[in-house]
Amino acid sequence: MEMRKARSLRRKQSESPPPADPGDTSEREPGRDVDQSADSGGGNTEDRGDRGNEEDLGPRRQDDPPANDREEPEEFRRTRRRSVGEVGRPSTPVVRPPVVKLGWRPAQGRMTYWVRDGSGAVGARKESLIGMPRVLYTPVPDRQTRADGQLLVYAEPEHRTDPPIFVRRADLVDDGYEKTVAAIETLVRQSQDRLQQTFWPEKRRELDAMTEITLAQPVSGLKVSAFESGRVTADSLVTVPAGTHPLPEIHSSTLGFPDQLAPFSAIVEVNVEGGRQAVLIPGEIVWGSDRSHADTAQEQGVAQRITAERVMEVLIGDEYFARHLAGRRLTGDRLHYVTSQEMGAVFVLDGMPDGEEQIEIARTANEILFNAGLSTPGLSVNGHIFIQLDQLGTGTEYHEAIHWFSDPTVDRVLGHWFNEGLTEYLTRYPVSALGEEAVRSEDQYGPQRQAIEKLVRHAGIDDEQLCEAYFRGDIQPLYDAVAAAAATAGGTFSLDAFATCLDPARAIEALRHFDEVFGVADEAREHKTDVDADADPKAEAEAE
């Protein structure tokens, strides 16, 4: 389990697909969503988008989803390779799902939009002023529009006297968004109350009983003196090096990073500016992370570098991927194996450092981002894939390669955590086919992957629709399926809100809310047990 050390640092996907040749470069947006790991549940999202071939892929098949674990129900076993003719067509008539109406996300304040030109196509790009009318969008079967690297939809303002415009699909949310978020937040507060009463006090007592802690990697910390003086600046951030650190007389404090999971910080003493200073680090870091899958790969002798050709052989060898990756290829000059220090520099430079001097330049330029990269298993950025050498044999290459081939729509519209859950869901296909050749941890994006599995099991989404969304950007069928399933269940459920709440701090509660809406009683009880058990569900959600 990898603890997240820099969750507040955001990385977004870049605007362009991976370049067609080594000389090309990719345009990218300012800012990125940074995770503890790009491959892992602390994953990073960069632009792995590539529109690929636009040929007609034929009708979708209603196939079963892949296996999740050893005790899954029979109906959830992987049977998608059977043809419709073998399985037989459904005997019940197809019911047209309710229309999904989308409205502007008010929390964003201002909204970028595009006006229509004289021909009715996308015209000039504008930015709304405060108080711009709410817009409504009713999905239509027409292909969605793109401009400036954005997925656009044609929208009509709520006030019909205003002219229609084009808006970013990512700026819209579906009906029920506020109600779904509110329900999940209520579960989050209840969960936090339980953890505050039982789990976290016990963890803090454990910390206060320790005399030293050992860090596998350097982490970013904050000077205690800065908090006490009320003057927290960039100079207040310091790096606590890897190794064993004796704890001062006072081991913990309620002060700390605002987005850390534990409601307390550990206090360590480190050399800062020639003297010893007390420094805060997030409390959850004290207990380290689970690297058993990487250790198992080493023990089994499968911790070997693999070539880009081998990655393509495995992906194309799966008939499902083969249809979506036809004519597209990952080449050896795009796949790099790096040390932890090099990965730290990649996080800052968005590319491979040229020697030790550039590594040090990257560390100085953004030490927090550099530290986040030190423990990141894999990253796809600017058309290149980087894999940490200590993650050999864990299937990281396949997760990142699947990212590399993706269309950016899912990430830009449904968000980073939904995108990572879907990526990990798809990664299980090739990795499971490898048998003992790769050791993939069940904790990798665990709650986010479970969210995709629940949508497949209980919300009418099938694997073909997921692949169409992921590799080609056709996301509307996902909304249609969930809307129809929610209507059948008789509840209010927003796909947008569910995706938004799949971050590690709320993912477990988002899954519980799904179970409640769709009447998944057994799984709902299972998640309640997870919350009440003697394990930290938030820390588990942070696992790679």
Side-chain angles (χ1 to χ4, degrees):
M1 173 174 58
E2 295 228 0
M3 290 293 186
R4 292 189 44 71
K5 303 175 178 64
R7 289 189 298 112
S8 61
L9 299 170
R10 306 287 301 163
R11 279 183 179 250
K12 296 181 180 177
Q13 287 190 331
S14 55
E15 296 294 342
S16 303
D21 61 72
D24 291 343
T25 57
S26 299
E27 179 188 354
R28 58 186 175 86
E29 295 180 293
R32 303 239 158 123
D33 267 346
V34 171
D35 287 3
Q36 182 70 12
S37 89
D39 159 42
S40 66
N44 170 279
T45 99
E46 297 297 336
D47 184 12
R48 299 101 171 171
D50 185 335
R51 292 294 295 170
N53 299 331
E54 298 293 341
E55 73 275 15
D56 181 9
L57 298 183
R60 295 193 182 95
R61 295 178 302 172
Q62 301 295 321
D63 297 319
D64 293 337
N68 171 37
D69 52 42
R70 291 179 294 276
E71 298 181 355
E72 64 192 358
E74 180 64 29
E75 65 271 15
F76 188 54
R77 296 191 182 280
R78 183 179 182 181
T79 60
R80 60 177 171 75
R81 297 184 187 280
R82 295 178 295 167
S83 68
V84 173
E86 293 171 329
V87 179
R89 296 187 180 277
S91 57
T92 56
V94 176
V95 179
R96 182 176 179 81
V99 172
V100 180
K101 291 187 177 181
L102 304 161
W104 176 32
R105 193 190 310 263
Q108 293 190 331
R110 292 175 177 240
M111 182 174 65
T112 302
Y113 66 98
W114 287 256
V115 299
R116 288 192 305 170
D117 63 17
S119 66
V122 177
R125 177 174 174 168
K126 304 284 185 178
E127 184 175 276
S128 71
L129 300 175
I130 300 296
M132 178 177 177
R134 174 181 172 86
V135 300
L136 298 175
Y137 162 66
T138 300
V140 294
D142 299 340
R143 194 171 190 82
Q144 292 165 314
T145 304
R146 292 179 182 274
D148 300 338
Q150 305 289 323
L151 177 69
L152 307 183
V153 296
Y154 187 65
E156 294 183 352
E158 190 172 44
H159 301 290
R160 301 296 182 177
T161 55
D162 294 319
I165 55 176
F166 292 93
V167 298
R168 293 187 296 199
R169 178 60 181 74
D171 285 338
L172 300 175
V173 294
D174 56 19
D175 288 348
Y177 183 90
E178 291 82 3
K179 185 174 181 179
T180 301
V181 169
I184 294 172
E185 291 288 0
T186 297
L187 293 175
V188 169
R189 288 191 294 272
Q190 293 171 355
S191 175
Q192 289 175 341
D193 289 344
R194 286 192 294 270
L195 291 172
Q196 290 281 14
Q197 294 168 11
T198 57
F199 180 81
W200 287 123
E202 177 59 30
K203 282 296 183 183
R204 188 169 182 181
R205 284 192 292 271
E206 287 181 24
L207 171 60
D208 288 335
M210 295 178 180
T211 59
E212 61 184 24
I213 62 172
T214 300
L215 301 175
Q217 293 284 358
V219 301
S220 296
L222 294 168
K223 297 177 184 177
V224 173
S225 58
F227 276 105
E228 293 175 341
S229 66
R231 295 191 298 271
V232 178
T233 66
D235 294 335
S236 305
L237 300 170
V238 297
T239 293
V240 179
T244 299
H245 300 275
L247 294 171
E249 183 176 350
I250 300 175
H251 300 173
S252 64
S253 169
T254 55
L255 301 173
F257 292 87
D259 62 345
Q260 68 187 43
L261 292 175
F264 56 84
S265 297
I267 302 177
V268 297
E269 287 187 346
V270 296
N271 289 319
V272 179
E273 299 168 352
R276 301 286 289 178
Q277 286 201 27
V279 175
L280 302 170
I281 60 174
E284 61 265 22
I285 290 177
V286 174
W287 291 274
S289 58
D290 181 9
R291 291 180 43 83
S292 60
H293 61 299
D295 295 337
T296 301
Q298 288 278 357
E299 294 167 2
Q300 294 181 355
V302 297
Q304 307 292 329
R305 299 189 190 204
I306 58 177
T307 64
E309 289 75 14
R310 174 57 178 163
V311 173
M312 289 304 304
E313 177 186 1
V314 171
L315 295 184
I316 298 299
D318 186 298
E319 59 149 352
Y320 214 51
F321 283 135
R323 294 189 299 106
H324 291 279
L325 304 186
R328 305 160 72 183
R329 188 166 62 95
L330 174 67
T331 55
D333 59 328
R334 300 286 175 183
L335 177 61
H336 313 276
Y337 288 92
V338 297
T339 65
S340 62
Q341 296 291 310
E342 288 172 331
M343 185 66 91
V346 168
F347 258 55
V348 179
L349 303 175
D350 284 344
M352 178 68 83
D354 184 15
E356 294 295 327
E357 183 177 351
Q358 274 205 340
I359 291 177
E360 192 56 37
I361 290 173
R363 186 200 313 273
T364 303
N366 193 329
E367 201 159 15
I368 294 181
L369 195 57
F370 185 94
N371 290 340
L374 293 175
S375 55
T376 298
L379 175 68
S380 177
V381 58
N382 284 345
H384 290 260
I385 293 173
F386 300 89
I387 308 295
Q388 280 236 35
L389 288 168
D390 66 356
Q391 293 293 314
L392 296 179
T394 62
T396 303
E397 294 91 340
Y398 301 103
H399 181 104
E400 292 306 324
I402 291 171
H403 266 310
W404 197 83
F405 284 113
S406 70
D407 181 280
T409 299
V410 168
D411 181 80
R412 290 176 179 164
V413 175
L414 289 168
H416 167 66
W417 295 106
F418 186 96
N419 185 61
E420 289 295 351
L422 179 49
T423 304
E424 186 59 29
Y425 176 89
L426 296 174
T427 301
R428 299 291 155 151
Y429 282 133
V431 170
S432 64
L434 292 174
E436 295 183 355
E437 187 177 329
V439 181
R440 193 84 182 144
S441 171
E442 284 300 310
D443 287 335
Q444 290 159 327
Y445 284 120
Q448 292 77 24
R449 174 170 53 88
Q450 290 171 35
I452 305 301
E453 291 165 357
K454 286 181 181 295
L455 290 170
V456 172
R457 286 178 177 176
H458 307 294
I461 292 176
D462 61 48
D463 282 351
E464 178 64 14
Q465 290 170 333
L466 289 174
C467 281
E468 285 286 314
Y470 190 82
F471 293 113
R472 300 176 67 84
D474 185 9
I475 61 173
Q476 192 56 51
L478 306 186
Y479 284 87
D480 294 341
V482 172
T488 300
T492 298
F493 187 82
S494 162
L495 178 60
D496 278 311
F498 182 61
T500 297
C501 294
L502 289 179
D503 57 273
R506 298 180 291 180
I508 296 297
E509 288 73 29
L511 297 179
R512 288 176 60 199
H513 178 65
F514 182 101
D515 293 343
E516 292 172 358
V517 171
F518 290 94
V520 189
D522 291 341
E523 294 182 28
R525 284 195 297 270
E526 175 186 333
H527 291 139
K528 185 178 188 303
T529 301
D530 288 342
V531 172
D532 295 336
D534 186 21
D536 175 18
K538 304 303 182 187
E540 293 296 330
E542 294 293 350
E544 187 209 50

